[in-house]
Amino acid sequence: MIGSPPALQLYSVREQLATGRMPVLRRIAAFGYGAVEPYDVRTDPERLRADLDEAGLAVCAVHVEALGEDADVLLRGAQAVGGGTVIVPSVPRERFADAEGIAALAHELNDAAAKAADYGLRLGYHNHEFELASLVGGRTGLEVLEDALDPAVILEVDTYWAAVGGQDVPELLGRLGDRVRYLHVKDGPVTRQDPQTAVGSGRMPVAEILAACPSAEWHVVELDSCATDMLTAVGDSLAWLAGHDLAKPVRAGAGT
């Protein structure tokens, strides 16, 4: 077991947050989550930090488009929200079409990591399915990228999208090794289009995946979509993880 509290990627509850942030944050905390991973630090990051403090939620990392022209604005927002790590959430899939494209992306990520360090932040990269479905020289695009990254750049492996990309996720994590410091924990039918489910109610071998990555500093629950009520699924996910000794809720409570 890792020592960090269970975390939630706030993108999961983006629709609920749009109707009122504080009630959602309080409910996340009531479920037993101790941290969140924000995805928007452009819109009033100081207010977000204050709301998180009021709800008793830490920040494990922030998803930031750190490769764009407004990287400095976003890095300052990440500073304001806290957390210490910024993670590039996605890039166009064509960037993994060949070795040259991957090498160019690695160069940009290495430069972005140096800029993030100027703000006291660590940089990471988060995958979708195409980095694992694309093969370059017989290896996955994500592994080719990893070889070209500066040691300062970490990986946040989205375990679900890695599975959708055709990978045996525990084996992949073993190959990537200590570079992986964050895991996105999610579940579902392991298809690209269908809605996901609460963790523990789909096809993902969650316990085996978590055991395969002792280097992970944070396990971050995320549901991109869900056919049932999202907040219920968010709470059920942590309850399942806790019931299988895979997470320790910060406080008891099922939310209201």
Side-chain angles (χ1 to χ4, degrees):
M1 279 295 297
I2 60 172
S4 300
L8 177 72
Q9 164 57 250
L10 286 180
Y11 185 76
S12 308
V13 291
R14 59 197 179 277
E15 295 179 4
Q16 292 77 15
L17 288 170
T19 66
R21 188 159 64 196
M22 279 309 304
V24 177
L25 295 180
R26 290 192 183 102
R27 192 167 180 192
I28 291 168
F31 287 138
Y33 289 94
V36 295
E37 187 177 54
Y39 63 93
D40 176 15
V41 293
R42 188 189 301 273
T43 307
D44 199 0
E46 291 83 6
R47 182 68 255 171
L48 175 58
R49 178 67 265 170
D51 288 348
L52 291 171
D53 286 342
E54 184 176 341
L57 292 166
V59 172
C60 65
V62 180
H63 274 200
V64 167
E65 299 283 356
L67 304 181
E69 294 180 356
D70 54 354
D72 287 290
V73 172
L74 295 172
L75 291 171
R76 285 194 292 271
Q79 267 188 324
V81 170
T85 298
V86 294
I87 296 172
V88 176
S90 64
V91 297
R93 64 181 56 235
E94 55 266 24
R95 303 213 63 176
F96 281 81
D98 53 37
E100 291 74 18
I102 295 173
L105 174 60
H107 181 74
E108 290 182 37
L109 287 167
N110 292 340
D111 286 348
K115 175 178 280 192
D118 290 338
Y119 289 87
L121 300 167
R122 178 176 62 169
L123 186 94
Y125 180 80
H126 165 272
N127 65 280
H128 287 82
E129 94 290 344
F130 55 84
E131 297 96 334
L132 288 311
S134 62
L135 296 179
V136 177
R139 303 176 68 225
T140 69
L142 185 62
E143 290 171 89
V144 174
L145 175 71
E146 192 268 342
D147 279 350
L149 291 175
D150 185 277
V153 183
I154 65 162
L155 292 177
E156 176 178 64
V157 172
D158 189 305
T159 60
Y160 189 80
W161 289 125
V164 172
Q167 297 301 304
D168 180 307
V169 180
E171 289 186 4
L172 172 69
L173 292 170
R175 296 196 302 271
L176 292 171
D178 290 348
R179 177 85 70 168
V180 182
R181 299 304 176 92
Y182 289 72
L183 294 178
H184 267 190
V185 183
K186 57 179 70 170
D187 210 341
V190 192
T191 58
R192 186 176 173 188
Q193 301 292 345
D194 296 313
Q196 293 155 19
T197 67
V199 174
S201 60
R203 294 180 52 212
M204 294 291 287
V206 177
E208 183 182 354
I209 288 169
L210 300 188
C213 192
S215 61
E217 300 166 4
W218 290 89
H219 296 161
V220 185
V221 171
E222 181 188 38
L223 301 175
D224 300 274
S225 62
C226 188
T228 60
D229 178 72
M230 179 60 81
L231 274 170
T232 300
V234 162
D236 289 347
S237 295
L238 180 51
W240 185 90
L241 289 166
H244 289 78
D245 294 324
L246 299 172
K248 184 177 181 180
V250 172
R251 59 178 64 85
T256 57

